[in-house]
Amino acid sequence: MAKSIGSARAAKATGGAATIESVADILERELQSVIVDWLARVDEEPDLKCIPLSFEERTGHLPYLLHDVIARLRLNAGTKAPISKAAAEHGDLRRKQGYTVAMAVEESRLLQVTIFTTLHKNTNELEFSKLLPDVVTIADEVDAQLKEQMLRFMAADAAEHAKGK
């Protein structure tokens, strides 16, 4: 019933048949707006803005991380996702740029908030029957990416300590 009401609303809003898209399709279509919206959120965080970075230095990793999220959403349920190479490289980059672990965690949190806000803005186009499992997949993928970033971050710290001894 809820799906038919949502579909009816979407059809009314578009003046015809509803265009229903998967979460992956919406994120792919909205990729640039996700990046811009994420940067706006980052710009509101003094802890993140204390490290001056250009637009490219701050956001250059996002298309790769988001493509990994989109690819994960398109995998068959139960398929183990590959480890994100982009996330590992991002962890190395942020450490070199002077980020702390807390700053990397905050960026990751803001990415999830931005993705979920984007989905909310596109409610009329969402395939509701798959929304909750896709939200779980997004959270799992972004958290797995954060884990990979932190593993690289800690490995670099350990290597630095080993050199110092």
Side-chain angles (χ1 to χ4, degrees):
M1 179 87 171
K3 185 175 179 183
S4 63
I5 291 171
S7 297
R9 270 193 234 135
K12 189 175 185 179
T14 60
T19 303
I20 302 301
E21 296 178 272
S22 70
V23 167
D25 290 341
I26 289 171
L27 291 179
E28 193 167 57
R29 175 173 45 84
E30 296 292 329
L31 188 73
Q32 288 307 310
S33 68
V34 170
I35 292 169
V36 169
D37 291 351
W38 175 85
L39 184 58
R41 290 177 196 281
V42 167
D43 284 343
E44 293 175 5
E45 296 295 327
D47 289 348
L48 297 176
K49 288 301 290 178
C50 72
I51 296 182
L53 298 173
S54 69
F55 176 84
E56 180 57 33
E57 290 169 327
R58 181 106 38 211
T59 65
H61 68 289
L62 279 177
Y64 303 105
L65 295 181
L66 289 167
H67 283 297
D68 285 350
V69 169
I70 292 164
R72 173 88 185 271
L73 286 165
R74 290 190 169 134
L75 286 176
N76 291 331
T79 304
K80 185 157 174 59
I83 294 172
S84 173
K85 182 180 177 194
E89 291 170 358
H90 179 59
D92 288 338
L93 175 66
R94 284 299 192 243
R95 187 177 180 284
K96 288 175 187 165
Q97 291 171 330
Y99 268 57
T100 64
V101 168
M103 293 165 81
V105 170
E106 182 64 7
E107 272 195 350
S108 181
R109 185 188 71 77
L110 292 173
L111 180 58
Q112 285 191 57
V113 169
T114 305
I115 290 170
F116 297 145
T117 301
T118 298
L119 295 178
H120 182 72
K121 289 177 185 175
N122 288 275
T123 301
N124 290 339
E125 291 85 28
L126 275 171
E127 188 176 348
F128 279 105
S129 65
K130 296 182 180 175
L131 179 60
L132 192 53
D134 284 351
V135 164
V136 170
T137 298
I138 291 166
D140 186 60
E141 178 62 23
V142 173
D143 287 348
Q145 290 176 1
L146 178 60
K147 176 184 175 184
E148 191 60 28
Q149 290 172 38
M150 294 303 94
L151 288 171
R152 291 290 283 268
F153 211 98
M154 292 183 313
D157 277 349
E160 194 173 282
H161 273 72
K163 284 181 187 176
K165 286 187 173 183

